[in-house]
Amino acid sequence: MVKYALWTNDVETTSIWHNTLRDETGLKAWKEGMPVLLDIYRRHNIRSTFFFTGHIARLYPDMVRMILQDGHEVGSHSFSHKKEDGLDALPFKAQLYQLQTSKKILEDISGQEVISFRSPALRVGENTARALIESGYRIDSSVASQRFDFFLSFGSRKKFKWLAAPRLPYRVDENNIFKKGNSPLVEVPLSATLFPYTSTTMRVFPFITGVQRHLSHRENNWNGKPIVFDIHPNEFLDESGEKRAIERRNSNLFAYLLKDVLRSKLKMKNLGPAAAPLYEQEISFYARRGYISVPLQTYCRETGLFGPLGAPTKQAELQ
Ligand SMILES: [Zn+2]
C-alpha cells in the first residue's frame, strides 16, 4: 500500500511574536518564510497544499503564484483570519461569503480551480460542511480527530467534537462535518494523538512530536491513515527584535497569567531559523520509510476518496 505524508501549509498574516494579525508580517512570510519552505520541499521532492487567506492573497498575489511552478496546490484558508470571523461563530450566509470570496480571489490569481479548504484556527461549525459544498469545495482539512486542546487554541469547546470524529479520511455528513455521510465533501483529518501533530507542538514540545511520529507511522502501517502535518511560513520568522505587548484576552488576573502570558511565552520556543531543521527532521523520518508527499487533491484522487464520478450524493437521493 502506498504510504502518504501530506505536508500542508497555512499562509496568513499572523505574527506569532506579536500575537496578532499584521500585514507587514504577511510580507515577511512571503519574502522570508515561504522561500524556506519551498527550498525544503524542493530538496525532498515534496508537493504539498498551501492554504492562503483571501486577505493575504489579495495583498500579495505573487506569494500565491510563487508556489505554482513547483506543482503545489493552492487551497483556501477562508478570507479573514480575524477571531470574530471564525466559521464556528458566523451565521451560514457570512460563512458563504468567507468561503466564496477567498475561492474567487485565489482562482483569479492562480488560474486554477480551488477545491481544498482549511479553516483558520480549525474553527468549523456543523453547517460549515453545507457552506463548503455550496461554495464548490471538495476537500476540507479542518478536523483534528482525537486531538485535545487544553488552552492553546481558540474555540476549544466546539473542538470536543474532534474526540469522536472518524480517524481515517471520510465523506462527510452534509449536516455535520464531524460525522461520516455521503455528501460530495471529503474530510482529510489532521494528524493528532491527543496532542496536535503540528509545527507548534514540534517547536514547543519536540519530545512529544518525537513520540507522535512513531505512533503515526505505526498507525499508518496498521490502517493506512495518511500523515497530515500543518505548518506556517510565519514560523521561520524572527521578529524578536521588535517591541511587543502581550495581548490581554482574559480579564481575570489568574486566567491572564495562566493563559495569555504562558501561552505567548511557550509559543516563542524555536521560532525563526531554529524551526527549519526541526521540520526537516520530521520530513526525513517519513521519507526514509518510503512515504510519498502529494497535494491533498492528488491524494484524494489517487485513493478514490472522491468516489466514482456522478456518485449520488445525499441531496440527489432526496430529490
Ligand atoms: Zn491559520
Side-chain angles (χ1 to χ4, degrees), residues 170-228:
Y170 58 101
R171 297 276 282 262
V172 309
D173 178 330
E174 190 181 311
N175 297 310
N176 188 343
I177 198 162
F178 305 102
K179 272 188 168 172
K180 264 185 210 174
N182 51 9
S183 81
L185 186 70
V186 174
E187 177 62 44
V188 182
L190 286 131
S191 294
T193 38
L194 283 184
F195 282 93
Y197 185 50
T198 64
S199 51
T200 308
T201 314
M202 176 191 83
R203 287 191 299 102
V204 180
F205 306 109
F207 169 75
I208 292 176
T209 296
V211 175
Q212 281 178 315
R213 77 173 80 102
H214 286 279
L215 290 176
S216 301
H217 173 56
R218 236 183 235 193
E219 184 178 12
N220 179 281
N221 279 338
W222 172 54
N223 64 8
K225 181 176 160 54
I227 312 305
V228 183

Side-chain angles (χ1 to χ4, degrees), residues 284-299:
S284 303
F285 175 86
Y286 297 102
R288 280 198 301 274
R289 286 161 181 79
Y291 284 72
I292 63 161
S293 300
V294 295
L296 285 182
Q297 195 177 138
T298 311
Y299 167 76

Side-chain angles (χ1 to χ4, degrees), residues 141-160:
S141 183
S142 310
V143 173
S145 317
Q146 286 75 55
R147 165 171 156 181
F148 182 65
D149 277 30
F150 302 90
F151 56 80
L152 284 165
S153 80
F154 256 88
S156 297
R157 223 155 47 91
K158 244 233 163 79
K159 290 173 180 174
F160 277 118

Side-chain angles (χ1 to χ4, degrees), residues 10 12 77 81 120-121 232:
D10 299 352
E12 56 199 58
H77 195 37
H81 210 288
H232 311 79

Side-chain angles (χ1 to χ4, degrees), residues 9-14 21 51 53 77 81 118-122 230-232:
N9 315 269
D10 299 352
V11 188
E12 56 199 58
T13 60
T14 305
L21 297 168
F51 299 98
T53 59
H77 195 37
H81 210 288
R118 170 167 299 140
S119 190
L122 308 182
D230 182 15
I231 195 161
H232 311 79

